[in-house]
Each structure stands twice: as C-alpha cells, then as structure tokens.
C-alpha cells in the first residue's frame, strides 16, 4: 500500500510548507495543552512533520503502514541530521514501547481509513498511548472538499522527475473518493508507466465526535485549516484539537 506513491510523494507534495504547518501545530499544543517532549506522528509518510518537530527539539516516533514511505523517511531524516524512531504500524494497530505526551496525524491521512470501525480503533490506540490531559491534533478533508474539489475530477501534475495523472471517482452514498494515480517516468527516450489506487472517505463531525468520545478523547476545538477560526461551508480541511481525558 502506497508503495509506488512513496517514490514520488515528496516530488508531488512540493508545495506543502512543513515548517509553517509544524509551527502552527506547536502553537495549538502550547495554547490548548503543552508543548510535547515525546511526540507520536501517526501516518508520518516520508517524515516531513517528524523531521520538523525533531528540529524543534522534540523526540519523535513516526509510524506508517508503508515500509516504502518509511524507507524514504529514514533517508530524509539522515540527510537532515535528525534522529526519529520510525515504526511500520497501521494506525489501528499501534503498539508503542510506552506513552507519549502529544500526537499528530496530518495531511488527511485519517481519510484513508475508509472503514468506520477501523477509524474508531485507530483513535482508541492513539488514546491508549497518550498521557492524560495531553493533546492529539489531526486534520481531515471535509465533505465539501470530497464533493466539490476532488469529486469526479482529473488533475495533472508535471514535475521534473515525474508526470502524474490523478483521476477521481466520487461516491456520494459512501462519501468516498476512489483515487487512481498514473505516474509516467522518463527512461531515455521512453516513458514507463506506474499506477496506484486507493480510497479516501470524508467523515461527518458527528461521526468523528462519536469515535473520539468512545476513545476517551475530548474535542477542544475544530478549526478551519491553519487558523483558529470556525469551519466555513467551503472549508477544505478541518483541524481537530483533542485532549485525552
């Protein structure tokens, strides 16, 4: 899962300002709880956030379901001179050596869990390893984004190392988007084609609230992306600040 995507992830996510987003998350930690000293980065991907938190002096455990993603994350950390502990674990199967005093899950990673019971289990696992009164901050793509932005649309990304065609199929009954990625990589005078497919599901606030409450996580605030303002009708990403009770 995400094995082919891993090779091109950083190239295609070039516009994500990890430093700015990490600073935003740290402001939320400090305002609504405390700055973490040992942080769990769930679905850490290639380590963009893990490394930025590590640069701030935070000890970080990064977990991801994809060994290919983690392989690149380890290379990125080595290149940046950062020490991050990476574990190949699905969110719903977390098994840490002890507790953490902060957790994050970024860039709509939780939307990739399309089974509601599995999402509930993922929240329960995070809660299990999170110390009392500490924060778990995550973001999700909204129903609006799935319906109006992703929808049945096709996107083309032409980067130096890869040409990517991103095609979506939206299912309004299940609130899911089937994402099909075709990567075209130049090899001499020819191109090789690689493909990967996965799903995202948009959850309602009520669904997320129920799952969080079941896991012993209290919602402190729900904000529009990169702000502390309420969600709007056209918000594409929602930030959830939750606390272990």
């Amino acid at each position: 899962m995400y094995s082919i995507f891993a090779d091109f992830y950083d190239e295609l996510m070039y516009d994500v300002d990890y430093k700015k987003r990490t600073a935003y998350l740290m402001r939320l930690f400090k305002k609504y709880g405390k700055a973490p000293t040992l942080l769990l980065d769930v679905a850490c991907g290639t380590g963009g956030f893990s490394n930025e938190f590590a640069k701030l002096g935070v000890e970080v455990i990064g977990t991801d379901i994809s060994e290919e993603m983690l392989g690149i994350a380890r290379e990125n950390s080595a290149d940046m001179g950062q020490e991050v502990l990476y574990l190949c674990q699905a969110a719903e199967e977390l098994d840490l050596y002890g507790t953490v005093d902060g957790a994050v899950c970024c860039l709509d990673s939780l939307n990739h869990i399309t089974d509601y019971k599995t999402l509930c289990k993922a929240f329960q696992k995070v809660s299990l390893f999170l110390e009392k009164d500490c924060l778990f901050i995550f973001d999700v793509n909204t129903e609006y984004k799935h319906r109006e932005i992703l929808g049945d649309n096709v996107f083309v990304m032409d980067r130096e190392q890869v040409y990517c065609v991103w095609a979506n199929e939206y299912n309004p009954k299940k609130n899911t988007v089937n994402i099909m990625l075709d990567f075209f990589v130049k090899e001499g005078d020819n191109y090789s084609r690689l493909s990967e497919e996965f799903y995202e599901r948009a959850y309602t606030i009520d669904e997320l609230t129920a799952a969080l409450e079941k896991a012993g996580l209290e919602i402190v605030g729900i904000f529009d992306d990169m702000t502390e303002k309420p969600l709007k009708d056209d918000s594409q990403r929602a930030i959830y600040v939750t606390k272990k009770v």
Side-chain angles (χ1 to χ4, degrees):
M1 199 172 187
Y2 312 116
S3 57
I4 296 173
F5 192 21
D7 288 334
F8 310 108
Y9 186 83
D10 288 341
E11 179 79 3
L12 297 176
M13 300 295 284
Y14 68 95
D15 58 342
V16 176
D17 192 333
Y18 289 104
K19 182 176 181 179
K20 183 177 180 180
R21 285 189 167 274
T22 299
Y24 165 70
L25 293 171
M26 282 296 285
R27 288 197 299 271
L28 295 179
F29 272 115
K30 292 176 180 179
K31 182 171 181 178
Y32 297 100
K34 65 174 185 177
T37 59
L38 176 57
L39 178 81
L40 170 64
D41 184 5
V42 182
C44 65
T46 58
F49 288 99
S50 294
N51 285 312
E52 289 302 325
F53 275 105
K55 289 178 185 178
L56 297 176
V58 180
E59 189 175 352
V60 181
I61 301 171
T63 64
D64 200 279
I65 195 173
S66 169
E67 185 58 60
E68 288 79 8
M69 287 281 194
L70 292 176
I72 295 174
R74 293 184 182 100
E75 292 177 2
N76 289 340
S77 292
D79 290 342
M80 296 179 188
Q82 301 301 323
E83 292 187 9
V84 177
L85 173 62
Y86 291 111
L87 302 174
C88 190
Q89 296 179 357
E92 68 276 13
E93 296 176 354
L94 287 173
D95 187 14
L96 306 183
Y97 305 114
T99 58
V100 297
D101 60 358
V104 296
C105 186
C106 304
L107 299 182
D108 60 86
S109 294
L110 289 174
N111 292 104
H112 290 244
I113 302 177
T114 56
D115 178 72
Y116 185 66
K117 290 183 178 179
T118 303
L119 178 71
C120 291
K121 187 175 180 181
F123 284 152
Q124 290 165 13
K125 284 290 187 176
V126 172
S127 179
L128 176 65
F129 292 103
L130 185 62
E131 294 177 7
K132 189 177 184 298
D133 295 326
C134 291
L135 300 184
F136 171 40
I137 303 175
F138 64 89
D139 68 63
V140 289
N141 281 339
T142 62
E143 294 177 277
Y144 169 84
K145 182 175 181 179
H146 273 226
R147 183 180 65 251
E148 303 294 339
I149 306 301
L150 297 179
D152 290 307
N153 295 317
V154 176
F155 306 93
V156 174
M157 290 165 279
D158 188 2
R159 302 293 296 154
E160 183 177 349
Q161 301 298 326
V162 64
Y163 183 89
C164 176
V165 178
W166 178 313
N168 297 328
E169 289 182 356
Y170 175 57
N171 186 328
K173 292 183 178 179
K174 294 183 178 181
N175 228 359
T176 60
V177 175
N178 182 17
I179 299 173
M180 295 159 284
L181 301 175
D182 285 316
F183 305 100
F184 298 88
V185 183
K186 191 171 185 179
E187 298 178 348
D189 295 330
N190 301 312
Y191 283 85
S192 62
R193 177 181 176 181
L194 303 169
S195 300
E196 190 146 48
E197 179 179 2
F198 50 86
Y199 288 82
E200 281 197 15
R201 175 177 172 180
Y203 291 97
T204 66
I205 292 178
D206 288 343
E207 287 175 323
L208 290 170
T209 299
L212 289 164
E213 289 180 350
K214 186 176 181 180
L217 294 166
E218 177 186 12
I219 295 178
V220 177
I222 305 174
F223 307 120
D224 193 15
D225 192 26
M226 295 295 289
T227 75
E228 291 180 58
K229 298 178 181 178
L231 292 177
K232 301 176 293 186
D233 291 340
D234 61 350
S235 293
Q236 295 187 36
R237 177 173 283 136
I239 307 294
Y240 281 72
V241 179
T242 71
K243 178 178 290 188
K244 169 75 173 290
V245 295

